[in-house]
Amino acid sequence: MEEIGHFINGQRVAGKSGRTADVFNPATGEVTAKVALATTAELQEAVAIAEKAQVGWAKTNPQRRARVMMKFVSLLHRDMDKLASKLSAEHGKTFPDAKGDVIRGLEVAEFCIGAPHMMKGEFTEGAGPGIDMYSMRQPLGVVAGITPFNFPAMIPMWKFCVAIAAGNSFILKPSERNPSVPMMLAELMQEAGLPDGVLNVVNGDKEAVDAILDDPIIQAVGFVGSTAIAEYVYTRGTASGKRVQCFGGAKNHMLIMPDADLDQAADALVGAGFGAAGERCMAISVAVPVGQETADRLIEKLIPRVEALKVGPYTAGDDVDFGPVITPQARDRILGLVNSGVEQGAKLVVDGRDFKLQGYENGNFVGPCLFDNATKDMDIYKEEIFGPVLTVVRAENYEEALSLPMDHEYGNGTAIFTRDGDTARDFASRINIGMVGINVPIPVPLAYHTFGGWKRSGFGDLNQHGPDGFKFYTRTKTVTSRWPSGVKEGAEFSIPTMG
Ligand code: NAD
């Protein structure tokens, strides 16, 4: 049995705690590896190494640092299939979807090749008599990222590419459910020329997370995961004086206006609702058709599409639309919520609860489920299901439809399908949600823009990657400079003004 340890000081090392977690193939239920769970002392050792390594790395000129990212991008292309198949084996998502996971991270590495530009400060010549003023962006030192299971390549890269390109050293604590790909990414960064100790992967669970949050050397923590843990990490991390950004769960609504192309809307809903078995923070989980006629026509188009979805292991190639969910506990939770929807009066028009796949009886498969006539008070509406379940909530008019995502506690993503520019514009302007799609169901911003939800989908300020990512992992110093020739005689007792 493979035992996955940690990646510290440029190499794989065995865990010392004696504690491990099983890593599963979610399609077969078989244990494929064991991952070490770090102690506080192991985390602290990694931090001490990262702290030493950061000094030289910060002094390396930004262009040289960017060249490591350039090489890293080419290595990701070289190893794409290897990374994607390992990712599928530990996550369960299809092979093309796993490649997408790697590519969306690679795009952030590409963006970071421009780090020298992002790190430039500002300069004002002659801000006062003989006085120049300039600002510089400096790395924070040792920073950390704590990441979820659902994008084991993309989200670690969102974090470490930006932080490292900015001159920090990094501690990554990936999800214990699928640690292999993060370890492979660290090896590729090393192969790309990153000095030892700048990127360290410490595998673990709550003990490692708490050690990160309490560590006095770690200056900033970027977290992505469920809302309860996001809030916990934010509270504890900021209480110990760190800069913290935490991104949490979601309940993404898509409004379908009567003038929308309903075939396009139905295709979009099926892809965005069921892709990756619904285990995406940007999945559409609620469809809100406006008007009864739109709702009836939409349901008519959705049912055959949902019934035709092909569920299976990633090894079945193109014959599969989505794979298993991550754990048996996740499957039981999803099925429990679907049962609650039926009990609370929603109409389950496609029922995937009894889905079974011959030869994969121990896999965590859930068949696609489609609810109609759900209402705001039901658990299937209030909670993030994070499974292959799409819920239709009917609204009489646009204002009622708009109020649903507005009033929901989550604010990650949303979309509207319409042909009317005024409605789309009004929606984009008024909605209190971080990422908005107009006839685009999964509006994940590209690497050079920034990603982040509002309300209980995001804690702290500044988004991930793009310019905000660089702001998060750096701090600004502003220098006011005057040379002796510009100094007037005598002490000044009033606050200096440049007027
Ligand atoms: P999770 O909260 O269970 O785990 C995330 C990380 O926190 C992992 O590294 C895990 O080891 C750690 N963790 C878990 N329990 C902990 C505890 N009690 N104390 C300290 N640390 C703990 O999340 P998950 O199940 O891996 O991921 C799915 C969730 O992530 C969903 O809610 C999804 O919406 C969300 N997500 C959000 C975004 C976003 O950008 N908003 C992106 C992807 C996923």
Side-chain angles (χ1 to χ4, degrees), residues 122-367:
E122 294 168 324
F123 186 89
T124 304
E125 185 196 6
I131 291 178
D132 299 326
M133 197 174 279
Y134 58 94
S135 65
M136 40 186 160
R137 284 200 166 279
Q138 295 187 323
L140 300 174
V142 183
V143 297
I146 302 164
T147 54
F149 81 84
N150 69 328
F151 281 98
M154 175 182 85
I155 297 180
M157 284 192 267
W158 281 359
K159 307 279 181 205
F160 75 67
C161 289
V162 179
I164 288 174
N168 299 283
S169 59
F170 200 85
I171 305 287
L172 172 66
K173 205 306 281 173
S175 170
E176 59 274 47
R177 310 239 178 267
N178 36 28
S180 289
V181 169
M183 294 286 281
M184 290 161 80
L185 295 175
E187 283 174 326
L188 291 182
M189 283 288 281
Q190 206 69 24
E191 192 182 337
L194 192 70
D196 292 351
V198 176
L199 172 57
N200 305 278
V201 183
V202 177
N203 283 304
D205 55 4
K206 181 171 167 53
E207 182 173 347
V209 170
D210 288 348
I212 289 173
L213 298 177
D214 297 344
D215 191 281
I217 296 166
I218 294 175
Q219 298 297 308
V221 178
F223 171 93
V224 180
S226 56
T227 286
I229 310 297
E231 189 164 31
Y232 167 75
V233 167
Y234 187 73
T235 308
R236 188 159 169 166
T238 49
S240 71
K242 296 186 200 323
R243 192 181 280 200
V244 187
Q245 58 170 202
C246 295
F247 298 91
K251 195 78 180 173
N252 305 317
H253 295 58
M254 179 169 131
L255 271 59
I256 301 99
M257 298 302 294
D259 64 354
D261 180 321
L262 289 190
D263 284 305
Q264 273 182 12
D267 285 340
L269 279 170
V270 170
F274 297 95
E279 289 177 323
R280 289 181 183 143
C281 68
M282 289 294 277
I284 294 287
S285 49
V286 181
V288 188
V290 173
Q292 294 302 336
E293 197 197 322
T294 313
D296 291 341
R297 285 171 49 220
L298 183 70
I299 283 285
E300 217 171 85
K301 289 182 187 294
L302 280 175
I303 289 174
R305 284 171 165 84
V306 176
E307 283 175 341
L309 286 169
K310 290 171 283 179
V311 186
Y314 80 98
T315 41
D318 290 346
D319 276 345
V320 171
D321 295 315
F322 69 85
V325 298
I326 189 71
T327 55
Q329 294 75 17
R331 182 196 54 211
D332 293 348
R333 183 179 168 273
I334 294 162
L335 293 176
L337 275 161
V338 174
N339 289 337
S340 82
V342 174
E343 280 153 25
Q344 290 169 19
K347 199 167 147 197
L348 188 59
V349 290
V350 180
D351 183 354
R353 286 176 295 179
D354 291 330
F355 179 85
K356 295 264 176 316
L357 196 63
Q358 213 183 357
Y360 293 88
E361 287 78 7
N362 294 324
N364 315 319
F365 291 99
V366 180

